[in-house]
């Protein structure tokens, strides 16, 4: 019996390999058109998966992508090439919702024109991920037309600047943005104002060599609390008040500001530069005492972690005022702020 079962399983595997298994009335075939012989479709032909070493156009023919594909993933981090003369993806890929590219440059080992490449399909993309690649900068109107986008991930993509209007877009879907480990040294916080009604999470941590300053050409407030705001492992000496004013107190949020230059040697956070942030943390704590906000001060052996349940001794809500009176005032301030949206 076991030998018969083994033979059956091997036979079934053979059928799958040769594309003759029928599922929901469809025949899955291994001779479906492939843009490159080393690519494969799985499962049920919904995802196109390709190894590194792809060149578009060249050994990767976009015209041979199945028209019903939902996701295209090209792996890295070995070099893939999106040539500067690459035509946009075909407009008839109407089911395509996710693009994940890893390890891409152009033919000159320079910036890829990703905006042009996805122009025909951007209206129905829900996820765009470009990692370990050379994007360089986000130009004016970059997000225009991405009306369904829910996730934008440009981690490790050499981004050194973002245009003031790069993140303007139509559509009301909630969106998370990751700019982890890029090359931003300064940023105007107002670039995120077009996302003030829809942004749910933002990662700008671990820039190389480090984010040094945040400017504020205008003020605004996010309509919803960010589930995550990551600014850690940079070179910030302070957080501008406009950044703190933009944050919503209404629900729990995780905010990471660890490993910055707020207090380079003082683990107790007693330096003046960190005081505005401590005031924000106290107000946040009054509204959301159980939230996950945490931060660190100091470097090396002097570094110390803090959270809303254990605040530094110089925090406004831990020194000088009876706690029940201070909490009442902080709640009043936070509730009052929640009724206003700064323009």
């Amino acid at each position: 019996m076991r030998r018969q079962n083994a033979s059956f399983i091997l036979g079934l595997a053979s059928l799958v390999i040769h594309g003759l298994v029928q599922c929901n009335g469809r025949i899955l075939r291994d001779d479906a058109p492939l843009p490159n012989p080393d690519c494969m479709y799985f499962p049920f032909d919904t995802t196109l998966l390709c190894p590194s070493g792809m060149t578009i156009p060249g050994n990767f023919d976009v015209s041979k992508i199945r028209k019903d594909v939902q996701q295209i993933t090209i792996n890295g981090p070995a070099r893939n090439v999106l040539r500067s003369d690459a035509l946009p993806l075909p407009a008839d890929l109407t089911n395509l919702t996710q693009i994940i590219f890893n390890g891409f440059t152009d033919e000159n080992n320079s910036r890829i024109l990703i905006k042009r490449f996805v122009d025909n399909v951007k209206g129905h993309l829900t996820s765009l991920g470009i990692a370990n690649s050379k994007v360089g900068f986000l130009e004016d109107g970059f997000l225009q037309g991405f009306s369904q986008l829910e996730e934008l991930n440009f981690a490790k993509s050499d981004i050194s600047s973002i245009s003031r209007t790069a993140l303007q877009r139509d559509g009301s879907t909630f969106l998370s943005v990751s700019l982890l480990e890029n090359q931003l040294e300064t940023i105007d916080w107002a670039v995120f104002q077009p996302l003030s009604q829809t942004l749910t999470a933002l990662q700008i941590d671990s820039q190389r060599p480090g984010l040094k300053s945040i400017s504020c050409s205008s003020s605004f407030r996010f309509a919803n609390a960010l589930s995550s705001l990551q600014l850690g492992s940079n070179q910030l000496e302070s957080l501008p008040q406009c950044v703190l004013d933009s944050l919503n107190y209404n629900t729990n949020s995780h905010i990471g500001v660890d490993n910055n230059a707020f207090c380079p040697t003082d683990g107790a956070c007693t330096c003046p530069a960190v005081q505005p942030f401590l005031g924000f943390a106290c107000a946040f704590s009054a509204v959301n005492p159980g939230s996950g906000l945490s931060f660190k001060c100091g470097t090396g052996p002097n570094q110390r972690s803090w959270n809303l349940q254990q605040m530094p001794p110089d925090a406004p809500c831990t020194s000088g005022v009876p706690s029940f009176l201070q909490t009442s005032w902080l709640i009043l301030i936070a509730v009052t702020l929640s009724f206003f949206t700064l323009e």
Side-chain angles (χ1 to χ4, degrees):
M1 179 64 70
R2 289 182 179 177
R3 186 172 299 175
Q4 290 177 341
N5 288 341
S7 299
F8 173 77
I9 292 173
L10 288 174
L12 181 60
S14 177
L15 289 176
V16 173
I17 291 172
H18 289 87
L20 300 178
V21 175
Q22 185 169 352
C23 179
N24 295 328
R26 293 175 57 198
I27 298 294
L28 307 183
R29 302 184 57 85
D30 63 353
D31 60 351
L34 288 167
N36 179 285
D38 292 330
C39 298
M40 63 177 292
Y41 289 103
F42 82 100
F44 310 137
D45 297 348
T46 59
T47 296
L48 174 65
L49 178 63
C50 301
S52 58
M54 299 295 106
T55 298
I56 310 171
N59 65 4
F60 187 98
D61 185 351
V62 297
S63 69
K64 294 183 178 179
I65 300 174
R66 287 182 61 100
K67 305 312 176 187
D68 55 352
V69 73
Q70 298 174 22
Q71 176 178 321
I72 299 174
T73 297
I74 300 180
N75 285 326
R79 188 166 184 254
N80 295 296
V81 177
L82 179 63
R83 293 178 54 89
S84 56
D85 59 351
L87 296 176
L89 285 168
D92 56 2
L93 298 176
T94 55
N95 291 330
L96 183 62
T97 60
Q98 298 182 66
I99 294 176
I100 302 173
F101 279 6
N102 197 343
F104 270 85
T105 70
D106 75 355
E107 68 274 19
N108 299 311
N109 197 31
S110 187
R111 177 177 185 263
I112 60 173
L113 301 179
I114 190 64
K115 182 177 185 293
R116 186 181 72 181
F117 184 65
V118 303
D119 190 56
N120 289 334
V121 298
K122 62 186 179 182
H124 42 83
L125 287 182
T126 61
S127 179
L128 177 62
I130 312 293
N132 297 295
S133 298
K134 292 196 174 182
V135 175
F137 61 89
L138 301 185
E139 62 265 49
D140 288 339
F142 180 87
L143 274 190
Q144 283 291 348
F146 288 87
S147 58
Q148 305 300 314
L149 200 64
E150 300 173 0
E151 180 181 14
L152 180 67
N153 185 350
F154 278 170
K156 301 180 182 180
S157 287
D158 288 353
I159 295 174
S160 58
S161 65
I162 302 175
S163 164
R164 177 67 172 78
T165 64
L167 302 182
Q168 289 181 351
R169 68 164 188 155
D170 42 13
S172 57
T173 56
F174 290 115
L175 175 67
S176 67
V177 176
S178 175
L179 299 168
L180 173 71
E181 293 189 34
N182 278 283
Q183 298 181 12
L184 295 166
E185 294 189 42
T186 183
I187 192 170
D188 183 353
W189 198 245
V191 302
F192 302 111
Q193 186 168 4
L195 302 178
S196 62
Q197 301 298 310
T198 57
L199 191 65
T200 60
L202 177 61
Q203 285 186 285
I204 323 178
D205 44 331
S206 303
Q207 301 300 298
R208 297 291 181 265
L211 183 64
K212 297 178 180 178
S213 64
I214 299 175
S215 61
C216 302
S217 62
S218 65
S219 299
F220 66 96
R221 173 162 294 160
F222 293 109
N224 303 286
L226 302 183
S227 62
S228 177
L229 172 61
Q230 301 303 316
L231 293 165
S233 300
N234 284 305
Q235 297 181 17
L236 294 170
E237 295 184 356
S238 65
L239 282 182
Q241 190 62 43
C242 71
V243 174
L244 301 177
D245 290 343
S246 71
L247 303 178
N248 192 306
Y249 294 91
N250 289 341
T251 58
N252 289 346
S253 180
H254 181 75
I255 300 175
V257 296
D258 56 303
N259 293 306
N260 271 288
F262 295 136
C263 298
T265 60
D266 181 8
C269 303
T270 59
C271 57
V274 82
Q275 287 302 309
F277 177 76
L278 293 181
F280 163 80
C282 286
F284 198 102
S285 177
V287 177
N288 297 296
S291 74
L293 190 150
S294 62
F295 54 97
K296 298 176 183 177
C297 288
T299 57
N302 296 321
Q303 188 180 79
R304 183 169 178 179
S305 299
W306 304 93
N307 56 53
L308 296 189
Q309 288 70 47
Q310 185 182 17
M311 295 284 281
D314 276 11
C317 46
T318 57
S319 61
V321 179
S323 59
F324 73 94
L325 289 177
Q326 187 152 27
T327 299
S328 298
W329 276 107
L330 290 170
I331 291 175
L332 177 61
I333 292 170
V335 171
T336 301
L337 288 173
S338 70
F339 282 98
F340 295 89
T341 300
L342 301 180
E343 299 296 336

